[in-house]
Amino acid sequence: MNITSKIIALCAITLAGAANVSAQSKVKPATAVTAQELSGLNNPLVLINDLKTDFQTFTRYQSALQGVRIVKGPEAAKLYGKEAAGGVILAQPAPGSRFMTFATLEASNDAIRNTKRDGVTIDGKVKPTDRIVLRQSDIKEISTVSVIDPVTGSELMYLNINTK
């Protein structure tokens, strides 16, 4: 599928979904999103440029996002499935802000791909790899850290990504 086909498909999806989306979920600048608009979200599904991530990543990069649409309640689950029962935040990056998933980073880096690990941390906090979304320009260093599991007493090795 070429870029023109992708844009046409995206427009078609957007227009098809627009009829089913209420006024509460209009696109607005990310910096204009208020705490009141975010209230009522419970572990929301967050998509930045169609990349699934978490609420902490959304708040961290809010200044690098251009447009945000919030969908709440039964409407969110109806449009995006069971995972969206707590609400949905759809965000588009500002021009020049390139985001990538951990899988993309891992695929392009042999050292990361071949590092034996029990998990991945971002700035020391354990994250599920299927929800890691980063701006490549924000990566300061990548290293391994070991911790002792308090339950089993065994050593766990994590790939730690430190950000700027």
Side-chain angles (χ1 to χ4, degrees), residues 84-95:
V88 180
I89 299 174
L90 303 166
Q92 288 299 316

Side-chain angles (χ1 to χ4, degrees), residues 36-93:
Q36 183 179 5
E37 291 171 298
L38 296 174
S39 69
L41 296 174
N42 181 18
N43 194 23
L45 171 64
V46 179
L47 299 169
I48 297 177
N49 203 29
D50 297 327
L51 303 174
K52 187 189 309 184
T53 189
D54 57 23
F55 186 73
Q56 291 77 21
T57 302
F58 167 75
T59 56
R60 176 185 178 148
Y61 290 120
Q62 197 166 354
S63 63
L65 300 173
Q66 180 174 291
V68 173
R69 188 172 79 162
I70 298 171
V71 185
K72 297 180 183 179
E75 181 178 27
K78 179 182 171 189
L79 293 172
Y80 298 97
K82 193 166 60 171
E83 189 178 16
V88 180
I89 299 174
L90 303 166
Q92 288 299 316

Side-chain angles (χ1 to χ4, degrees), residues 2-13:
N2 65 30
I3 190 69
T4 304
S5 299
K6 287 181 180 179
I7 290 171
I8 291 170
L10 180 60
C11 290
I13 290 167

Side-chain angles (χ1 to χ4, degrees), residues 8-163:
I8 291 170
L10 180 60
C11 290
I13 290 167
T14 302
L15 290 173
N20 298 321
V21 176
S22 70
Q24 78 172 11
S25 61
K26 290 184 178 175
V27 175
K28 65 185 308 178
T31 54
V33 174
T34 65
Q36 183 179 5
E37 291 171 298
L38 296 174
S39 69
L41 296 174
N42 181 18
N43 194 23
L45 171 64
V46 179
L47 299 169
I48 297 177
N49 203 29
D50 297 327
L51 303 174
K52 187 189 309 184
T53 189
D54 57 23
F55 186 73
Q56 291 77 21
T57 302
F58 167 75
T59 56
R60 176 185 178 148
Y61 290 120
Q62 197 166 354
S63 63
L65 300 173
Q66 180 174 291
V68 173
R69 188 172 79 162
I70 298 171
V71 185
K72 297 180 183 179
E75 181 178 27
K78 179 182 171 189
L79 293 172
Y80 298 97
K82 193 166 60 171
E83 189 178 16
V88 180
I89 299 174
L90 303 166
Q92 288 299 316
S97 292
R98 292 185 57 224
F99 287 84
M100 66 178 170
T101 63
F102 177 76
T104 303
L105 176 65
E106 184 180 40
S108 64
N109 188 306
D110 287 337
I112 293 172
R113 184 173 46 252
N114 296 321
T115 299
K116 184 177 182 291
R117 61 183 179 269
D118 296 301
V120 176
T121 63
I122 304 286
D123 297 325
K125 295 179 184 172
V126 177
K127 299 283 186 174
T129 57
D130 66 334
R131 290 198 176 229
I132 295 175
V133 174
L134 296 163
R135 284 194 310 185
Q136 191 161 8
S137 60
D138 284 350
I139 297 173
K140 181 178 179 181
E141 72 176 340
I142 299 174
S143 59
T144 55
V145 293
S146 63
V147 296
I148 303 299
D149 184 327
V151 175
T152 65
S154 62
E155 183 180 32
L156 300 175
M157 185 67 66
Y158 287 91
L159 182 71
N160 185 52
I161 301 171
N162 287 320
T163 59

